[in-house]
Amino acid sequence: LLLAALLPPRMAGLRVDFGVLLEPLGFIKVLEWIFSIFAFATCGGFRGETTVLVSCKGVVNKTVTAAFAYPFALNTVVFSAPDPRRCGGTWMDVYLVGNFSCSAQFFVTLAVLVFLYCIAALVVYIGYKHVYQQKSKFPLIDLAVTSITAFLWVVSTFAWTKAVSDIRVSTGASLISGIQSCKLPTTTCRFVSVTGMGTLNVSALSGLLNMVLWGGNIWFVYKDTDLYIRSKRIS
C-alpha cells in the first residue's frame, strides 16, 4: 500500500508474472529463500546429548548425561548426578565447556532476516517488476542489500563453522579430562557417546551455499542498475 501511494497510478498496479522465476534474478532468490530455511532450521532445531558412564562410592556404571541445544551456551549445561547422594558427596557439579551462543545466534538471526527479505524481494519481482525496472533506486537498494548480506554470510558462516568444530570437541571424549570428580581414586569415568552432529554440519554447509549464492547474485542484481547501463554505454 505504501509503495502504491508513492508511485504514479500507471506504475503502481500489480502485474503478476511468474516467468521472472525462470530468470537468474528470480531463480537465485528462490534458492536463497530455500537455503535460508535450511540454515536456521538445522542450527536452531538441533538437540543433542553427551553421555558418560560413572562408577563411584556406592554406584556402579551409572549413566550421567548433559543435554545441549541452540543457542549452545554449553557452559550453562550441567551433567546429571550419578545418584541422589552424589557419590557420597564426592561428585561436584560438572558443566560443559564453552559458550557458542554469539556465533549461533548471529547465524540464525541472519538466516531468518534473509528468509523475510527473500519473500519481500520475490513479491516485488513477481508482482512489481515493472516498478523495479523503471525506478532506478530500487535496483540500487537491492544491490546494496545483496552485497551487505553476502558479506554477512561470509562472516557468520566462518564463525559458525568454527563453533561447530569446537562444540564437537567440547561434547566429545576429551571432556572426561576436565571432570575433577573423575580424577578421584574412588571414581572412574568412561565416555559413552554423543549425539551425531550431522545436522550441524548441514547447517554449516547451508551457510557456505548461501555465501556462494549471495555472492554470485551481486552480479545479476548489478545488471539491473543504472551503474551497469552507464558502463555499457561508455564501453
Side-chain angles (χ1 to χ4, degrees), residues 32 35 107 110 146-147 149-158 161 204-218:
E32 291 170 345
F35 283 108
F107 187 80
L110 176 61
T146 301
S147 301
T149 303
F151 172 74
L152 292 178
W153 272 122
V154 172
V155 176
S156 65
T157 298
F158 278 101
T161 300
L205 178 60
S206 66
L208 178 62
L209 292 174
N210 275 295
M211 184 174 69
V212 172
L213 283 172
W214 283 87
N217 197 27
I218 293 175

Side-chain angles (χ1 to χ4, degrees), residues 21 50 54 62 69 93 152 165 170 186 195 216 220 222-223 230 233:
L21 300 181
T50 184
V54 177
K62 177 67 176 182
D93 284 339
L152 292 178
S165 177
S170 296
T186 58
T195 302
F220 294 104
Y222 170 69
K223 289 178 67 176
R230 291 170 186 169
R233 288 174 181 171

Side-chain angles (χ1 to χ4, degrees), residues 90-106:
T90 61
W91 181 267
M92 309 301 292
D93 284 339
V94 179
Y95 291 85
L96 293 176
V97 177
N99 186 346
F100 309 100
S101 58
C102 288
S103 297
Q105 290 172 336
F106 180 24

